Structures are given as structure tokens and as C-alpha cells.
Amino acid sequence: MISRNPCIANIKAGYLFPEIARRRREFTASHPETSRPECRIISLGVGNTTEPILPHIDAGLVDGARQLATPEGYSGYQDEGLPALREKISEVFYRKGFGPDEIFISDGAKCDIGRLQLLFGSKIPVAVQDPSYPVYVDGSVLIGAAGAWEGTGYRGISYLPCNAENGYFPDLSALPRDGICYFCSPNNPTGATADREQLDALVKAAGEKGALIIFDAAYMGYIRDPALPKSIFEIAGARECAIEVNSFSKPAGFTGVRLGWTVVPKELKYSGGESVNADWARVSGTIFNGASNIAQAGALAALDGEGVREMRELCDFYLGNAALIRGALEKRGIPCVGGDNSPYIWARFPGRDSWDVFNQILEKCYVVTTPGSGFGPAGESFIRFSSFGHRADVEEACERLSRL
Ligand code: PLP
């Protein structure tokens, strides 16, 4: 019989959201009143978008599909992505700072995060912000870089705590030498956004430790404070030590359409002097045949003047939800971060178990949230509130939060 990849047995992924769904099902079954509109369960728990794609971007998608039915407009494989889209991404997000061969179009940031570790193999140390978006750890487990599970974390992963005491920015002296460091800003789940000084320190520490930063900027479209950097490449020295993954999911509502991009600068080299960019082109061409042409047509529409305006409008809508949620929590005296330059609010319940607080909010408010401990050991005693929801549901949920 074929033997199983031992890394799969080692993976703890897939626990958090199924467990939330199980608790929600059990609660619904034992509380028949949840079938009444005023008691229906409202979710502020997931990072999935809820609002329709706006008309100009939608017209780009429709037109992209129509083109495929014409002899002049038909296209097949696009490998690293439409050259026009790669150029447009460089213009809109990076002030034309990258050539099209440094921008790789993907079927989403998560997919590229999963593939990127193929570049580095199973022997390199991995550091993550703690708490963090689960795929950084789970991708490391799948490639064999995470080591064994011990209590609350994997032995091979350096968890860099981000908590109220350090302003949700890690102690960089704990960064392992010659490894990779995942860094997400605006952060999922904490909602904290690193400032210029902090990212300067991150790039400097990576340079000193020979580390490579995989910077996840999937929520850059939510930054409203003009002083905050949106990309790691706004920081001097980042081209020599960072890769940036990005996405149209959260600014354009493309969670189901699927489209993202990854920037791999030509300056980035391995310890032996080889080009990381050339290897990423090779890996992408070997196991990925490019993103949907229809999705790329939609992205081109998202990046012209009207599309950029629509993306801002959509992010502003979710930020409006976030302000309502944060306001409702702070009214109850619950300390929070995030929600101002990010769609997530990270609420603190000192001394409490995250799952107990989750249960309490479900029982008292009929609102589903995400327990912070599911994102890493430092998430204990926190709850993540997501602003992805319809406005009427968010308003109703906020009213119910007054019962806390
Ligand atoms: N990165 C972060 C931090 C996320 O929270 C998410 C989705 O929730 C993603 C990446 C996934 O992006 P995509 O839909 O492009 O795969």
C-alpha cells in the first residue's frame, strides 16, 4: 500500500473553522428561537467578502468572458500573467518601480503563500507573527519545515508574540538567522498596521539576520492613514530581502473570482548568489499554468480610474462596518485594536479563555465570532471580529453586543 506523507499527519489545520461551525450547529439545534428573525444567528466570524462586485469591475469581467468567444479576443495560457496587467499593477501600486517580469499574477495570495516555500525547502527556519493567518504555519508544516507539534505550537517555528504590551509588533531580536519571516500588515487577525519605523526595523533586522521577509499585503486597500506604508517596498533595502504577496480578493470582492499577484524583485538573491526571481518564474511555470484570463480582464478594469474608485468604495463600506463594531465594543469597555486601517477588530478579554468568550457572545448575543487562540498561542484571551457582512446584519449584531 502507498504510505502517507507524514507531514499531512502533522498538520493541525482545519480545526478552527469546522469547530466554530460545529458549535454554531449545536447551539442552533438546542435553541429553536434562532429560527425567529430577531434571534437569528449573525456571523462576524469569517474573512469572506459579502458585497456584490461593483459595476465597472463587473463589466470588465463580462467583457473578458465575451472576448474569449471572438477570434481576435481569444487567448489561452498566459503563464505569469497578462503583460498589460503586470505593468498596470506596477503603475498603480508601486509607482512603476518594478518591471513586468518582477510581478507574477496568481490565482490568489493564499495559493502563492502555499507555493512559495518550494523555493526554500524543508531545512530553513520559519518565523511568524503570533497570532497569524494560519496558512503561513500550515504551508510550513506541509513542506516539512515546521517540525513536531508540541503543546501549543510547532518546534521548528519561531512564534513572535504580538500583544498589547508590544503594540502588536514583535521583538525582532527573536528572528531566526537565514530563515523566512512571514509578516502581514494590515494584520489578520489583529487588525494592527505596522508604521514606517516598524517596517524599517523589520527590513533592517532581516538584513542583519540574512532572513527573507514574505510580506502579505492582502489588506493594503484598507489603509486610510496616509502616513502608513502600504507595501514593504516603500522601505529602503526591502528589494534585497523581501517578497510581497497581494490579492484582489478583499479590495475588489474577488474572493470567488480568484486573482492575486506576487512581487519578486530581481535584486533578491540566495546565499549562493542565484536569482530568486528566476527560480520563482521556473516554479510558477512548472506547477502553475497562470490565472484565469477572465479574472485578469476584471483586474484590468479594477485598475483604471473608475475601478480604483470602486475598490476604494468597497473597502470604505467594510471599514464603515468595522467602525460600528469597534464602537459597540468600546462602549462596553472592551479594549480593541484594528478596524481603522483594516477590516478586522481584535478585542481583548484579559484573563479569559478565547473559546469561553466565543461561547458567551454566541449565547448572549447570538453572534458568531472567531476565538483568537485559533490563530496562535498569543491569541488566547482575544476575539477577532470581522467586518465582512451586510450593513443591516452588522447593525443588528452591534445592538446585541450591548448585552455583553
Ligand atoms: N492573506 C491574508 C492575510 C488573508 O487574510 C487572506 C484571506 O483571508 C489571504 C491572504 C487570501 O487571499 P486570496 O483570496 O487572494 O487567496
Side-chain angles (χ1 to χ4, degrees):
M1 288 286 277
I2 190 99
S3 64
R4 188 186 190 197
N5 176 351
C7 297
I8 296 179
N10 201 14
I11 203 165
K12 298 274 179 265
Y15 162 74
L16 178 62
F17 289 101
E19 176 61 16
I20 291 172
R22 191 190 66 74
R23 288 183 189 222
R24 177 180 177 156
R25 263 196 318 274
E26 229 169 53
F27 184 80
T28 309
S30 58
H31 291 76
E33 73 278 16
T34 51
S35 62
R36 297 205 310 266
E38 71 277 14
C39 296
R40 75 191 193 285
I41 292 180
I42 298 173
S43 175
L44 299 180
V46 290
N48 206 352
T49 47
T50 55
E51 301 309 296
I53 290 174
L54 288 166
H56 177 76
I57 299 174
D58 183 55
L61 288 167
V62 170
D63 191 49
R66 289 255 156 77
Q67 291 286 331
L68 292 178
T70 67
E72 321 73 53
Y74 178 76
S75 57
Y77 294 128
Q78 290 293 328
D79 298 328
E80 290 109 354
L82 290 172
L85 178 58
R86 302 163 87 183
E87 268 166 32
K88 199 71 188 166
I89 285 173
S90 180
E91 178 192 323
V92 171
F93 299 112
Y94 304 103
R95 299 175 177 203
K96 299 192 179 175
F98 291 102
D101 52 355
E102 293 174 290
I103 294 171
F104 298 78
I105 307 301
S106 70
D107 50 348
K110 187 178 194 177
C111 318
D112 264 2
I113 293 163
R115 289 185 285 253
L116 270 167
Q117 271 185 261
L118 287 173
L119 293 174
F120 313 107
S122 62
K123 299 282 186 290
I124 48 136
V126 176
V128 295
Q129 288 160 290
D130 174 20
S132 72
Y133 180 51
V135 69
Y136 312 144
V137 169
D138 299 336
S140 308
V141 174
L142 281 177
I143 201 144
W149 176 261
E150 267 181 0
T152 56
Y154 291 94
R155 199 188 312 153
I157 304 261
S158 299
Y159 294 84
L160 310 180
C162 297
N163 48 40
E165 288 69 41
N166 61 21
Y168 302 94
F169 186 80
D171 171 8
L172 296 171
S173 67
L175 204 62
R177 194 158 278 289
D178 302 331
I180 56 176
C181 171
Y182 286 99
F183 197 95
C184 178
S185 179
N187 191 268
N188 178 11
T190 69
T193 305
D195 64 23
R196 196 165 294 278
E197 208 177 302
Q198 290 171 326
L199 291 189
D200 268 334
L202 177 67
V203 167
K204 188 161 171 271
E208 284 166 6
K209 294 272 178 89
L212 183 139
I213 302 161
I214 298 182
F215 191 80
D216 186 339
Y219 296 99
M220 67 148 60
Y222 288 79
I223 295 180
R224 289 292 171 270
D225 179 346
L228 293 172
K230 293 186 169 173
S231 161
I232 191 67
F233 297 117
E234 290 179 37
I235 306 300
R239 284 169 178 264
E240 286 77 25
C241 68
I243 287 173
E244 181 164 295
V245 290
N246 220 314
S247 176
F248 285 94
S249 285
K250 306 304 165 90
F254 274 21
T255 40
V257 174
R258 308 304 304 142
L259 202 73
W261 72 92
T262 292
V263 184
V264 187
K266 290 216 171 129
E267 290 89 336
L268 196 60
K269 300 281 194 283
Y270 298 103
S271 56
E274 308 92 333
S275 163
V276 177
N277 175 287
D279 271 8
W280 185 237
R282 183 182 301 183
V283 168
S284 298
T286 306
I287 58 163
F288 179 56
N289 257 348
S292 149
N293 295 349
I294 300 170
Q296 293 189 72
L300 270 170
L303 295 180
D304 67 20
E306 181 59 10
V308 168
R309 195 200 58 70
E310 284 189 348
M311 286 200 288
R312 193 172 172 93
E313 180 185 327
L314 188 64
C315 295
D316 279 344
F317 171 82
Y318 291 122
L319 285 167
N321 284 350
L324 291 175
I325 297 166
R326 185 166 170 166
L329 291 166
E330 286 181 337
K331 226 179 183 173
R332 308 303 306 152
I334 299 164
C336 298
V337 281
D340 38 6
N341 295 288
S342 118
Y344 299 115
I345 298 104
W346 191 236
R348 193 173 170 213
F349 296 83
R352 304 272 312 274
D353 174 276
S354 291
W355 280 109
D356 285 351
V357 183
F358 168 91
N359 285 340
Q360 188 195 3
I361 298 172
L362 183 58
E363 280 158 21
K364 284 197 172 171
C365 311
Y366 295 62
V367 168
V368 171
T369 56
T370 314
S373 54
F375 297 100
E380 190 57 277
S381 302
F382 287 88
I383 290 286
R384 187 193 74 171
F385 288 83
S386 164
S387 68
F388 294 111
H390 302 310
R391 180 60 52 86
D393 289 342
V394 169
E395 282 171 348
E396 168 81 29
C398 287
E399 233 176 272
R400 295 186 197 168
L401 290 174
S402 65
R403 299 173 197 160
L404 282 179

